[in-house]
């Protein structure tokens, strides 16, 4: 049975908003999701028309998160990937545990890789498609993230 | 840090963020929100035409590969009798074009070297677009980047690929000695591991004399991976089929493992980039107004971006280091000294065909009826219908939604569906709408793959018997989009059905594609590609008719035929992972046989969407190839009778 756009969205909503929160922080997550879905509907006509709605929308969130990173960092539009990596979401002082600050303090692409692989349970290949990179790069992001967290929690 | 510990920290860290983020926006808030600004270009191109192009994006999943073949320059022919195809007994006959002239000038019949020509192509290298990063960009000549129509046509003159697609739809080698196959030892399957080897031709060199090697193919892959990572690649598929880290270069050869079995590997290396001349770090910026050094028949000379009215102009001249020769004459290619290409958004820019400024008008500049060019035929110009692998297909909706459109729908009755197919005489339909009938979907894409699975529906005399046992009088509603040619085909097919005893009304609407996923149509028809060269394209396109594909291809609504549709799903899935060409063809034929036996879809006629025009006394060798989007595919063998 073919799903309606509403049904597709409701199915993916949680994944999308969480991914957006990983990328841009909790305060902006809903805006990112709303922007992505609205733009997709405007451009594609419907979510059901997408080949792979989940992958498409997750990737769109990833891209929008990148744009947010650029804006947030007040970088030039063609800012280097390194600059984007440094863009960190704002977390209100004193309201988050250290572990959250540590995880959200990782570079954006490392956060994305960790979320996709360790929270969503995607394979490296699946995560790479969403992130628009190669599986080997995802593995590298995970390795870097692990090293970073190890410094803070295992020392 | 153990994996478990890492996972625990990550989850714990994220949980607090997710709690703060809340559940996300409500659907009702989203659909009532003002539209977000559209961004064009990049991996998520927001194309015009909304859902139509969403479906188009699906059916164009196999990219329109183009290339350069060794086509024999054609002597002038007497083409006063168009002789439209009227039989299904042979493969579609695009290799014998319907052309119209009244005068055939006395011109040489054998190709001669030398001379220069000016051709016009459709494309836009003037107006820019907003890229994924929000930056406004002017169109690029670089065919590997997100760009515009026109760039690829130009690139085919200069940049070779590992393969090209000949007029029969076969993928044939260009830069390499052979297309890797299981049968020629260049594809080796060992358990779950599939290894592919390409070997570059010994004589292939770049224009500076440097040999083309396996390192250039490896470099091309790395470059594509980098572009993909930057979101700048025109297309990443099929390069995702190469397992990262598996590439081994050995002189002229390159071997790699496939990340998954998929026959689409045969479309790897559509363009090859010279490793010794390209700086990967500045590749995105370096080649927007020029083409890189050639290993193809021509060399880049100049680019004038021009303006919206004049269009753009690109000049290329003979690459003296080109390594290929005409297989029919043995002559060194290319024949022409120089080609000037005018790239125009449309013919309103003023092509200059009649005034002699342009020798040929190619691509899709001339409408299917010839438009204002029709009169040039009287002066000796050749006008030739162009086509691609688009075809019109009819589908039966077996979901309950069909009753919304037609409360009397009999789609669930197998005899009724067979009667509809038998009532639509494809030869009569094609003749009435000036199209070519479809014999098989595979045969559109690859001549040699044609088969007779659909022939069982060719007898209109079967209709009364099929209708005699139905529980009610047959009434059908035929829905499609509102394009002129679609309406013509739909009206004609509906008339044939009504004449055969199936009372059919039509419903042509502009929002046809947007409403398609709702599955509220009774019978519905639209055009799709049959794949663009090679069997891998067919295998992937047949997934469009797989109801199990669900929202991936939301156009097939015959899932209630559980046994048939589940076998179809299985066969198509196998085909999409089959590396052996013989087994792949068998699976494709089986898939089409299932569709035909259950009469759930019906491929009817092919579309001929445009015309080409040229002056035969000025340019020869232009050849139709429905599998190549770009008419420059065989420019190496164009020649000028003037010499």
């Amino acid at each position: 049975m073919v799903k309606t756009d509403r049904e597709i969205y409701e199915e993916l909503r949680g994944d999308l908003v969480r991914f957006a929160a990983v990328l841009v922080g909790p305060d902006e997550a809903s805006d990112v999701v709303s922007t992505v879905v609205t733009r997709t509907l405007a451009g594609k006509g419907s979510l059901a028309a997408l080949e792979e709605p989940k992958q498409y929308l997750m990737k769109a969130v990833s891209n929008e998160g990148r744009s947010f990173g650029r804006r947030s960092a007040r970088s030039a539009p063609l800012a280097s990937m390194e600059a984007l990596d440094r863009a960190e979401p704002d977390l209100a002082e004193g309201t988050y545990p250290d572990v959250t600050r540590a995880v959200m303090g990782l570079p954006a692409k490392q956060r994305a890789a960790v979320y996709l692989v360790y929270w969503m349970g995607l394979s490296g290949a699946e995560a790479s498609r969403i992130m628009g990179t190669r599986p080997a790069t995802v593995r590298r992001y995970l390795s870097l993230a692990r090293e970073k967290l190890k410094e803070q929690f295992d020392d | 840090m153990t994996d478990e510990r890492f996972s625990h920290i990550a989850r714990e860290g994220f949980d607090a963020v997710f709690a703060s983020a809340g559940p996300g926006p409500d659907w009702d808030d989203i659909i009532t929100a003002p539209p977000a600004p559209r961004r064009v270009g990049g991996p998520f191109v927001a194309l015009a035409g909304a859902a139509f192009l969403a479906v188009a994006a699906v059916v164009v999943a196999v990219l329109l590969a183009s290339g350069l073949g060794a086509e024999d320059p054609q002597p002038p022919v007497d083409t006063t009798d168009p002789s439209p195809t009227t039989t299904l007994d042979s493969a579609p006959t695009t290799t014998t074009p319907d052309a119209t002239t009244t005068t055939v000038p006395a011109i040489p019949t054998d190709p001669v070297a030398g001379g220069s020509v000016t051709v016009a192509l459709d494309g836009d290298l003037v107006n820019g677009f907003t890229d994924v990063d929000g930056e406004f960009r002017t169109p690029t000549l670089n065919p590997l980047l997100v760009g515009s129509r026109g760039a690829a046509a130009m690139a085919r003159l200069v940049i070779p690929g590992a393969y090209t697609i000949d007029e029969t739809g076969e993928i044939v080698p260009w830069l390499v000695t052979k297309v890797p196959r299981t049968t020629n030892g260049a594809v080796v399957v060992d358990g779950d591991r599939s290894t592919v080897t390409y070997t570059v031709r010994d004589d292939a060199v770049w224009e500076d004399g440097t040999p083309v090697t396996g390192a250039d193919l490896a470099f091309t892959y790395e470059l594509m991976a980098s572009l993909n990572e930057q979101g700048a690649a025109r297309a990443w598929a099929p390069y995702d089929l190469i397992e990262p880290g598996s590439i081994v270069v050995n002189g002229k050869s390159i071997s790699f493992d496939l990340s998954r079995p998929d026959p689409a590997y045969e479309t790897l290396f559509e363009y090859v980039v010279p490793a010794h001349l390209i700086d990967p770090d500045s590749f995105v910026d370096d080649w927007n107004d020029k083409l890189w050094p050639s290993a193809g028949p021509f060399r880049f000379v100049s680019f004038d971006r021009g303006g919206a009215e004049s269009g753009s102009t690109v000049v290329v001249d003979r690459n003296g280091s080109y390594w290929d020769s005409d297989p029919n004459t043995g002559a060194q290619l290319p024949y022409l000294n120089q080609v000037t290409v005018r790239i125009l958004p449309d013919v309103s820019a003023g092509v200059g065909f009649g005034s002699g400024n342009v020798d040929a008008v190619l691509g899709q500049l001339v409408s299917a009826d010839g438009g204002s060019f029709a009169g040039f035929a009287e002066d000796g110009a050749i006008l030739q219908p162009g086509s691609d692998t688009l075809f019109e297909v009819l589908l039966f909706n077996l979901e309950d939604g069909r009753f919304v459109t037609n409360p009397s729908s009999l789609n669930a009755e197998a005899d009724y569906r067979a009667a509809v197919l038998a009532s639509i005489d494809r030869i009569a339909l094609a003749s009435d709408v000036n199209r070519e009938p479809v014999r098989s979907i595979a045969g559109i894409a690859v001549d040699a793959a044609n088969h007779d699975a659909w022939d069982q529906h060719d007898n209109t005399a079967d209709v009364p018997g099929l209708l005699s046992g139905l529980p009610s009088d047959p009434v059908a509603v035929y829905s499609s989009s509102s394009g002129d040619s679609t309406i013509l085909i739909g009206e004609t097919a509906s008339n044939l059905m009504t004449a055969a005893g199936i009372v059919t009304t039509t419903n042509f609407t502009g929002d046809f594609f947007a409403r398609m996923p709702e599955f509220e149509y009774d019978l519905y028809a639209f055009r799709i590609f049959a794949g663009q060269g090679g069997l891998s394209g067919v295998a992937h396109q047949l997934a469009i008719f797989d109801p199990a594909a669900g929202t991936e291809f939301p156009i097939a609504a015959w899932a209630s035929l559980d046994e048939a549709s589940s076998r179809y799903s299985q066969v198509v899935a196998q085909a999409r992972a089959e590396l052996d060409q013989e087994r792949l063809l068998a699976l494709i034929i089986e898939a089409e046989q299932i569709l035909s036996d259950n009469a759930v879809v019906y491929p009817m006629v092919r579309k001929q969407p445009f015309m080409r025009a040229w002056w035969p006394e000025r340019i020869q060798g232009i050849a139709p190839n429905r599998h190549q989007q770009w008419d420059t595919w065989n420019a190496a063998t164009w020649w000028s009778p003037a010499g």
Side-chain angles (χ1 to χ4, degrees), chain A residues 60-102:
Chain A
V61 167
S62 176
N63 288 349
E64 187 63 23
R66 254 186 228 182
S67 300
F68 176 90
R70 290 188 178 106
R71 293 193 296 270
S72 174
R74 300 183 187 279
S75 309
L78 290 178
S80 69
M81 299 306 283
E82 288 72 22
L84 301 182
D85 257 359
R86 288 195 293 271
E88 295 176 14
D90 292 330
L91 295 178
E93 281 295 329
T95 56
Y96 290 94
D98 289 345
V99 66
T100 295
R101 296 192 175 283

Side-chain angles (χ1 to χ4, degrees), chain B residues 215-230:
Chain B
D216 293 312
L217 274 62
F219 179 75
T220 301
Y221 166 74
E222 293 296 338
L223 194 58
M224 290 300 298
S226 170
L227 294 178
N228 179 58
E229 199 158 332
Q230 298 171 55

Side-chain angles (χ1 to χ4, degrees), chain B residues 178-200:
Chain B
K178 59 192 173 187
V179 175
R181 302 291 186 203
T182 54
T183 49
N184 61 23
V187 175
V188 177
V189 179
D190 182 9
D192 292 337
R193 182 181 182 190
S194 304
T195 305
V196 177
T197 300
Y198 281 88
T199 302
V200 178

Side-chain angles (χ1 to χ4, degrees), chain B residues 59-86:
Chain B
V59 300
V60 187
V62 176
L63 293 173
L64 305 178
S66 55
L68 186 80
E71 174 61 11
D72 183 22
Q74 296 184 333
V77 292
D78 180 354
T79 53
T80 52
D81 177 12
S83 302
T85 304
T86 56

Side-chain angles (χ1 to χ4, degrees), chain B residues 234-583:
Chain B
R234 182 168 63 96
W236 174 230
Y239 291 94
D240 61 335
L241 293 177
I242 296 178
E243 180 65 27
S246 71
I247 292 178
V248 176
V249 175
N250 183 11
K252 284 277 186 178
S253 296
I254 174 176
S255 296
F256 51 85
D257 293 342
L258 295 180
S259 57
R260 64 179 186 278
D262 186 329
Y265 77 83
E266 66 184 355
T267 57
L268 280 163
F269 307 115
E270 180 185 10
Y271 300 100
V272 176
V273 183
H276 68 297
L277 295 170
I278 298 292
D279 179 352
D281 293 334
S282 58
F283 181 75
V284 171
D285 299 320
D286 288 349
W287 305 100
N288 295 309
D289 297 313
K290 58 186 177 183
L291 289 164
W292 53 80
S294 172
F298 297 97
R299 300 182 311 169
F300 174 81
V301 174
S302 66
F303 172 50
D304 176 2
R305 194 178 294 279
E309 292 185 3
S310 63
S312 308
T313 303
V314 181
V315 179
V316 298
D317 67 13
R318 177 198 304 273
N319 173 15
S321 300
Y322 190 50
W323 36 272
D324 208 1
S325 57
D326 187 329
N328 295 297
T329 66
Q332 176 65 43
L333 294 176
Y335 287 119
L336 291 170
N337 285 337
Q338 189 170 82
V339 179
T340 299
V341 183
R342 293 189 58 201
I343 300 170
L344 307 172
D346 56 59
V347 288
S348 66
V351 172
F353 188 65
S355 63
N357 291 330
V358 166
D359 303 313
V361 182
L362 307 175
Q364 300 187 10
L365 281 172
V366 183
S367 59
D369 62 2
S372 60
F373 285 71
F376 292 125
E378 295 178 5
D379 300 324
I382 291 178
L383 264 68
Q384 180 189 80
S387 69
D388 44 33
T389 65
L390 277 172
F391 66 101
E392 193 89 10
V393 63
L394 180 70
L395 293 93
F396 290 82
N397 182 11
L398 296 177
E399 300 284 346
D400 290 345
R402 66 186 185 275
F403 296 116
V404 174
T405 299
N406 179 12
S408 304
S409 176
L410 290 171
N411 286 358
E413 301 288 333
D415 281 354
Y416 166 76
R417 299 195 301 274
V420 170
L421 268 56
S423 71
I424 301 174
D425 180 334
R426 288 179 290 171
I427 294 174
L429 175 63
S431 176
D432 286 350
V433 300
N434 193 26
R435 299 287 191 273
E436 287 189 14
V438 173
R439 191 178 192 202
S440 68
I441 298 170
I444 301 172
V446 182
D447 287 358
N450 223 340
H451 56 83
D452 60 3
W454 300 95
D455 291 5
Q456 61 182 316
H457 303 295
D458 280 346
N459 193 355
T460 52
D462 292 343
V463 176
L466 291 166
L467 295 178
S468 63
L470 297 178
S472 61
D473 292 338
V475 176
V477 179
Y478 182 116
S479 298
S480 192
S481 61
S482 56
D484 289 346
S485 63
T486 302
I487 291 176
L488 177 63
I489 293 169
E491 292 285 8
T492 307
S494 298
N495 290 340
L496 289 169
M497 291 169 61
T498 300
I502 303 166
V503 178
T504 307
T505 56
T506 55
N507 177 30
F508 303 108
T509 60
D511 63 348
F512 169 78
F513 289 102
R515 290 184 50 212
M516 188 186 289
E518 296 169 11
F519 288 148
E520 290 183 349
Y521 296 129
D522 181 27
L523 304 185
Y524 54 116
F526 52 89
R527 281 191 296 272
I528 62 171
F529 283 105
Q532 204 73 24
L535 293 177
S536 63
V538 185
H540 282 263
Q541 293 304 76
L542 286 176
I544 288 168
F545 301 119
D546 180 4
T551 53
E552 184 182 0
F553 302 113
I555 59 176
W558 54 287
S560 54
L561 295 178
D562 291 337
E563 189 176 340
S565 54
S566 77
R567 176 59 187 161
Y568 184 81
S569 299
Q570 190 179 21
V571 169
V572 170
Q574 287 175 0
R576 294 174 73 178
E578 180 58 65
L579 300 179
D580 180 87
Q581 289 279 296
E582 194 174 328
R583 288 197 295 270

